[in-house]
Amino acid sequence: MNKINTFNEFKEIQNRYNTLLEMRKINEELEKTSEGNRCSRYLSICGGTGCKSAQSDEILENLQKEIAANGLTDEVTAAITGCFGFCEKGPIVKVSPDNVFYVNVKPSDAAEIVKEHLLKGNVIERLLFEEPSSKIKVKKQEDMPFYKKQVRIALRNCGLINPEDIKEYIAEDGYIALGKVITEMSQDDIIKLMIDSGLRGRGGGGFPTGKKWAFAKMYDADQKYIICNADEGDPGAFMDRSILEGDPHSVLEAMAIAGYSIGASIGCIYIRAEYPLAISRLRIAIGQARECGLLGKNIFGTDFSFDIEIKYGAGAFVCGEETALIQSIEGERGEPTNKPPFPAQSGLWNKPTCVNNVETLANIPAIINKGAAWYSSIGTATSKGTKVFALAGKINNVGLVEVPMGTTLREIIFDIGGGIKNGRGFKAVQTGGPSGGCITAEFLDTPIDYESLSAIGSMMGSGGMIVMDEDNCMIDIAKFYLEFTVEESCGKCSPCRIGNKRLLEMLDKISKGNGTKEDLHKLKSLGNTIKDTSLCGLGQTAPNPVLSTIKYFLNEYEAHIYDKTCPAGVCKNLLRYNITDKCIGCTKCARQCPVNCISGKVKTLHVIDQDKCIKCGACQTACPVNAIIKK
Amino acid sequence: MCSNCSSENFIVLENFINDLPSKEGALIEVLHKAQGLFGYLPQEVQAFVAEKLNIPVSKVYGVVTFYSYFTIKPRGEYVINVCMGTACFVRGSGDVLDEFQKKLKVKNGETTDNGRFTLGSLRCVGACGLAPVVTVNDKVYGHVTVDQVDKILADYAE
C-alpha cells in the first residue's frame, strides 16, 4: 500500500475495502444459496498459539494444497485469523458464507473438507460441535452456548480478520478513530470522551483510563511516552497475547490515539519474549502501518507524528507493575520504584509517561467510533464495558471469553464454560492470578465487576479465571501461588522478600501434616502485615490466595492441622494407601513396592506397613483388581 | 569453559552493539541477542557486553540473574519445559514434572550428564486448552499425562 496523505484520501481507500469481509459476515441469503452448491467461499483457520500448537499451520497448508489440486483457487480463499476463543475445541476452521464452524480439525481432515464441503456444499457432521447435554450438533458459531452470552468488543476482530493484512483491519473501520481524533478533536475532547466512557484499566488496577491520560497531559515536557504493557505474566491468562496475535492494529491505533491525547510522539510496547508469535504479528503490523503513513511523521498530513518500538521482557512477573516495567525498558533490573512520583509525572527516562494495558487499548478505537454513551451503557454502575477472561482449569470449555461487566460467575462457568470437567463438583474459582483470591460456590451469583470481586476477597486482575473441582486441595493451591510470588519477588522490600517466604514455609509445614494452631494465626497476621507494608502491587497482593483460602476453606486447613488428613487427597505426606478386602493375594503389589513395606502370603489379603510407606503409588498402579485405595 | 564462544559470535555481537541507535538502556536487548548467539551467557560473554556498553560487569550480572529468561549455564540439546501455569497445574502438570525428574534423574533446572536434555518449567505458554502442556524445544505436546513421559522421551532418544 502507498503512503496515505490525508484523512479524506484514507476514507476513500477505506470505502474500496468495505466489501473485503462481506462474505465473512452473517448473511442469510448467501448462506442459503451456498447449501449443496459449489460457490465462492472463505475459510478462516485459527492461527493463535493454542491452535498452532495443535497443528493449525499444517491444516492451512493441506487445505491450500487440496484447493489447488481441485481447481478451486479462483473461488476459495483459505487464510489464518486470530483466536476464536474456543480453545478447548481447537483447531477451528470456519467456512463462510455457509457459516459453518468446524472444531477439533486435524490436518488429515483437509481433503474431506475440500471434497465434501467446498465441491459439493455438504456440511461434514462429524466435525461440528456437539452440545454435550443434548448431543445435538451445532453448525453456527452464534448458536453455541459458549458464544451466546458473549459480547465481543476488545476481541471484535479476533476470528474475523487476517491479522497480517492491514487492509482487513481498515475494512473493519480500522484507523478511522485515529483519523477522527487527530483531524477533528482536541486533546481535551478525547480525554473527556474517555472519562465519559467509564473505561478502566484492564491490567488489574482498574484506574480510569481517561484520568490517567489527563494526568500525563497535564505535565509539560519536551518528550512524553506511551507504553503498552504486554508483559502478561499471570500464569493461566492469555487474553493480551490473543489480542496482539489476532488484532495487533487495534493496539497500535489506540497507542497513537493515546499519544495524541497526552502529547507523546513515541510509543513503546513492552512484551514478553515468551510470545514469539505475538511479536512477529506486531512487527508485521508496525511495518504495514508505517508504509501507509499511519505511523511515523505527520500522520494524515497533520502535525502529529507518532512511532512505536518493541521492547522485550525477559521473564519477570514483577515487570507487569508499571514502575518496574519502566526500569526494565531502561535496561535495569525490574525493581519497582516509590510512587510518587507517578509515571505520569516522571516515568520513562524521567519524562511523563502513560502506561496502558493491551486489552484497555484494544477497546479504545471501538469506543471512539461508537461513542462514550454506547460504551457506558454496557456494564455496571462502576465498571463499564466488557472484560475478557481466560477461562481454564477443570472446566469443559477452556477458552477466551468476553462478557459485559455484571455477568455472574455462574453464567461464565456453567453457561459459557459448560460446567466442570468429568461431571465433578465445583469447588472454587480463582480470579486475579497470584494476586487474587478463591471464590466459593456461595458467591457464584455475584455480578462481577471491580468492586464486587474485591468485596469478596478476590480481584479482577488481568482476567485469569481458573476453575477448581473437589479434587483440588486448597492448601496446595495457596502453596502453588505463593511459590510463584516467592520466586518472582524482586527482593527489594523485606515484607515481600522475607514475609512471603515465611508464609510459604508455614503452608509447606501444614501440607506435610506438621502444622499447628499457631501457624493458622501466624499466617493471617503475617499475611495482613505483608499486605500493608509491601512496596508494590506484587507484595501487597501476594498473601491474597492464602488469606482467601483460610477465609473460605478453614475446614480444609483444620483437617490438615488437627486430623492430619488432606480431604482432596492431594498432599502426599498425608495420604495413606490401604489394601481393601478386594485383594486377591496376587503379590504383584509387594513385588513392585520399592521399600518392601507390603507383606502377605499368596492368595491372602496383603497389608501395607504405614510407617515404611513412601506413598509412591507404585502398588496402586500394579494392582490388577483396584483393591488399593488412597485417602 | 564456554563451548559456543567462537570469535565469530563475538564479532556478530560487537557489530550488533555498534549498530544500536543508542547504548543507553540497551542492556536487555543486547543480552537477548547474546543468548541467541551463544545459547547461554557465560562469564566471558557478560564481561564482553559490559566492556562494549561501558558499564560494570556487576551490573550485567545483576540483570542476567534477575530475569528468568537468561541463563548462565549451558543447556542441553533438547530443552524440555513443563508448563507450571495455573491451568496446567490444576490439571496435574506437577505430577508430569515429577515423572520427568524421575526418568531423567535430574532436578528441575538441571541438564543430564550427557548434555542431551535440560529439564525446566515455565509459566504459561498460553495453550491452556491443551493443559497440561510440555514443550521440547519448539514442539508442543498437549494433554500430557504421566504415562506419556516415556513416549515423549523416546522421540528424542539417541
Side-chain angles (χ1 to χ4, degrees):
Chain A
M1 257 173 89
N2 293 331
K3 188 170 186 304
I4 299 161
N5 295 309
T6 65
F7 188 35
N8 281 334
E9 191 187 324
F10 176 79
K11 282 195 255 186
E12 274 170 38
I13 291 172
Q14 204 238 356
N15 262 332
R16 290 208 299 270
Y17 292 156
N18 247 340
T19 52
L20 209 56
L21 305 178
E22 217 169 46
M23 202 197 294
R24 276 172 261 176
K25 300 284 178 68
I26 297 173
N27 180 332
E28 284 174 9
E29 217 170 289
L30 270 179
E31 198 184 307
K32 267 195 201 124
T33 52
S34 67
E35 256 179 44
N37 283 321
R38 173 173 167 173
C39 63
S40 285
R41 284 191 167 91
Y42 189 94
L43 270 57
S44 313
I45 294 104
C46 179
T49 293
C51 285
K52 261 173 128 55
S53 304
Q55 297 178 296
S56 72
D57 280 346
E58 253 182 78
I59 296 172
L60 176 64
E61 212 177 287
N62 289 0
L63 279 170
Q64 279 169 338
K65 262 190 234 155
E66 290 288 334
I67 287 167
N70 286 283
L72 287 164
T73 320
D74 292 339
E75 28 194 307
V76 181
T77 310
I80 56 150
T81 184
C83 181
F84 285 97
F86 203 1
C87 306
E88 181 73 34
K89 295 289 172 195
I92 285 159
V93 175
K94 187 174 176 182
V95 187
S96 308
D98 318 49
N99 198 6
V100 171
F101 195 81
Y102 287 135
V103 297
N104 290 131
V105 180
K106 293 193 182 60
S108 56
D109 295 327
E112 193 180 341
I113 294 176
V114 173
K115 290 204 175 77
E116 275 304 310
H117 196 148
L118 302 188
L119 284 173
K120 298 184 197 155
N122 297 331
V123 174
I124 303 164
E125 289 281 321
R126 71 175 177 88
L127 291 176
L128 294 178
F129 171 74
E130 187 184 276
E131 168 63 40
S133 52
S134 62
K135 305 277 174 211
I136 293 172
K137 300 268 186 186
V138 187
K139 196 179 93 168
K140 297 180 189 176
Q141 181 177 0
E142 61 270 22
D143 289 342
M144 295 177 188
F146 182 77
Y147 288 103
K148 267 188 189 160
K149 289 198 170 166
Q150 291 200 45
V151 175
R152 289 161 84 94
I153 298 173
L155 298 175
R156 61 194 179 279
N157 290 329
C158 292
L160 176 67
I161 65 168
N162 178 345
E164 295 181 0
D165 187 352
I166 190 171
K167 292 197 213 83
E168 299 204 349
Y169 180 69
I170 293 174
E172 277 301 285
D173 291 339
Y175 292 103
I176 285 281
L178 175 64
K180 211 154 87 179
V181 165
I182 61 176
T183 59
E184 296 165 13
M185 294 171 85
S186 72
Q187 290 174 301
D188 291 325
D189 287 344
I190 165 79
I191 287 172
K192 183 175 180 298
L193 190 145
M194 291 314 298
I195 291 174
D196 290 345
S197 76
L199 176 68
R200 293 168 67 176
R202 296 289 191 251
F207 193 80
T209 307
K211 278 193 186 156
K212 208 169 194 180
W213 290 7
F215 286 134
K217 177 188 174 263
M218 209 165 70
Y219 295 98
D220 281 325
D222 54 345
Q223 181 67 60
K224 295 184 187 181
Y225 297 97
I226 291 290
I227 294 176
C228 167
N229 183 350
D231 188 53
E232 190 174 45
D234 173 359
F238 52 99
M239 45 284 199
D240 293 349
R241 198 209 59 213
S242 291
I243 291 170
L244 293 170
E245 286 176 3
D247 195 15
H249 284 288
S250 69
V251 176
L252 304 185
E253 183 183 2
M255 286 177 74
I257 293 168
Y260 175 80
S261 313
I262 71 159
S265 61
I266 298 176
C268 174
I269 302 175
Y270 183 82
I271 183 166
R272 294 178 77 192
E274 291 92 333
Y275 282 179
L277 184 63
I279 292 171
S280 110
R281 297 255 165 90
L282 273 174
R283 289 208 175 283
I284 293 170
I286 292 173
Q288 290 174 343
R290 279 183 188 149
E291 204 183 296
C292 305
L294 299 168
L295 285 177
K297 287 219 179 322
N298 304 102
I299 298 170
F300 293 132
T302 64
D303 293 339
F304 177 61
S305 302
F306 191 79
D307 210 345
I308 294 174
E309 54 177 299
I310 299 178
K311 284 276 186 182
Y312 299 148
F317 178 66
V318 69
C319 289
E321 203 280 340
E322 57 183 9
T323 59
L325 185 153
I326 288 167
Q327 290 289 309
S328 185
I329 294 180
E330 293 179 357
E332 305 285 332
R333 290 164 67 96
E335 290 172 358
T337 53
N338 276 318
K339 293 197 259 192
F342 287 91
Q345 188 184 353
S346 171
L348 185 59
W349 308 116
N350 300 320
K351 303 288 183 187
T353 302
C354 178
V355 184
N356 287 129
N357 156 274
V358 173
E359 189 189 330
T360 315
L361 289 167
N363 278 296
I364 290 169
I367 294 174
I368 290 165
N369 287 333
K370 296 191 176 175
W374 162 77
Y375 193 77
S376 64
S377 70
I378 305 166
T380 66
T382 57
S383 310
K384 301 300 181 189
T386 56
K387 176 77 191 91
V388 184
F389 291 101
L391 201 54
K394 302 278 186 71
I395 187 150
N396 278 318
N397 301 335
V398 170
L400 214 54
V401 304
E402 183 171 356
V403 290
M405 296 278 188
T407 305
T408 66
L409 285 165
R410 189 183 301 283
E411 287 173 288
I412 296 177
I413 295 166
F414 291 92
D415 297 345
I416 297 172
I420 313 301
K421 246 190 151 48
N422 304 324
R424 307 287 293 170
F426 169 85
K427 184 165 187 178
V429 55
Q430 212 277 356
T431 68
S435 311
C438 290
I439 301 166
T440 51
E442 63 179 302
F443 298 108
L444 276 177
D445 292 309
T446 312
I448 40 175
D449 64 15
Y450 290 96
E451 281 69 27
S452 68
L453 286 177
S454 304
I456 53 179
S458 187
M459 64 186 279
M460 182 75 81
S462 61
M465 197 175 264
I466 312 282
V467 178
M468 293 159 203
D469 68 9
E470 48 209 10
D471 291 338
N472 290 116
C473 165
M474 299 321 280
I475 284 99
D476 189 52
I477 296 293
K479 219 174 97 181
F480 166 80
Y481 279 113
L482 220 55
E483 269 167 11
F484 180 83
T485 33
V486 165
E487 202 172 291
E488 295 295 341
S489 169
C490 77
K492 187 172 178 172
C493 73
S494 24
C496 177
R497 182 183 68 240
I498 304 170
N500 284 315
K501 178 98 181 148
R502 294 292 94 82
L503 284 183
L504 178 61
E505 284 165 1
M506 275 187 267
L507 282 179
D508 192 52
K509 202 173 139 193
I510 293 172
S511 76
K512 289 195 167 128
N514 302 323
T516 60
K517 193 180 166 193
E518 286 71 47
D519 289 329
L520 212 48
H521 173 71
K522 276 191 217 156
L523 278 177
K524 275 194 266 186
S525 83
L526 180 58
N528 285 319
T529 310
I530 296 169
K531 282 182 79 159
D532 291 344
T533 52
S534 289
L535 176 63
C536 83
L538 190 143
Q540 286 158 13
T541 56
N544 282 353
V546 184
L547 297 173
S548 76
T549 48
I550 293 182
K551 188 169 167 196
Y552 296 121
F553 297 95
L554 185 64
N555 54 349
E556 253 180 74
Y557 278 86
E558 288 172 344
H560 283 71
I561 293 171
Y562 303 124
D563 310 336
K564 311 288 177 206
T565 58
C566 173
V570 173
C571 297
K572 279 211 175 84
N573 292 61
L574 300 179
L575 287 182
R576 287 169 75 95
Y577 283 89
N578 279 310
I579 302 178
T580 61
D581 46 17
K582 273 198 206 161
C583 175
I584 52 170
C586 71
T587 74
K588 270 195 183 141
C589 57
R591 278 179 279 145
Q592 284 299 320
C593 178
V595 291
N596 294 323
C597 74
I598 304 180
S599 55
K601 282 187 187 144
V602 183
K603 289 187 181 164
T604 60
L605 182 73
H606 282 48
V607 182
I608 298 173
D609 180 348
Q610 296 297 342
D611 294 337
K612 282 196 204 154
C613 175
I614 56 165
K615 283 120 186 168
C616 70
C619 52
Q620 195 182 30
T621 322
C623 180
V625 293
N626 295 326
I628 301 178
I629 52 163
K630 72 173 180 186
K631 268 201 306 209
Chain B
M1 264 311 284
C2 169
S3 50
N4 273 342
C5 296
S6 66
S7 51
E8 215 171 282
N9 279 344
F10 280 109
I11 294 167
V12 176
L13 184 59
E14 183 164 8
N15 289 337
F16 177 82
I17 295 170
N18 289 338
D19 288 346
L20 288 170
S22 157
K23 286 182 187 172
E24 198 187 14
L27 177 55
I28 293 176
E29 208 175 327
V30 172
L31 292 174
H32 272 295
K33 180 75 185 174
Q35 186 158 300
L37 288 168
F38 297 96
Y40 69 116
L41 299 168
Q43 218 171 333
E44 299 97 299
V45 174
Q46 293 179 46
F48 183 83
V49 169
E51 191 196 318
K52 295 296 164 196
L53 291 178
N54 201 20
I55 50 177
V57 191
S58 59
K59 186 179 166 183
V60 177
Y61 181 74
V63 168
V64 168
T65 51
F66 183 86
Y67 294 99
S68 63
Y69 199 82
F70 299 130
T71 172
I72 52 176
K73 280 192 243 161
R75 281 190 269 207
E77 197 178 337
Y78 297 102
V79 180
I80 301 172
N81 271 310
V82 181
C83 181
M84 289 292 273
T86 323
C88 286
F89 179 78
V90 300
R91 285 200 186 175
S93 67
D95 296 335
V96 174
L97 179 62
D98 285 347
E99 186 69 12
F100 272 110
Q101 298 192 120
K102 228 192 268 177
K103 286 278 145 69
L104 292 171
K105 300 191 177 69
V106 289
K107 289 211 181 76
N108 186 4
E110 292 178 352
T111 302
T112 54
D113 289 340
N114 60 6
R116 197 155 179 85
F117 294 107
T118 297
L119 180 62
S121 58
L122 45 76
R123 304 281 185 187
C124 201
V125 289
C128 304
L130 301 172
V133 171
V134 171
T135 63
V136 182
N137 292 353
D138 291 332
K139 176 143 173 76
V140 180
Y141 293 85
H143 302 299
V144 178
T145 59
V146 171
D147 311 337
Q148 287 165 13
V149 167
D150 272 332
K151 210 181 143 276
I152 292 173
L153 288 176
D155 286 352
Y156 303 92
E158 274 172 286

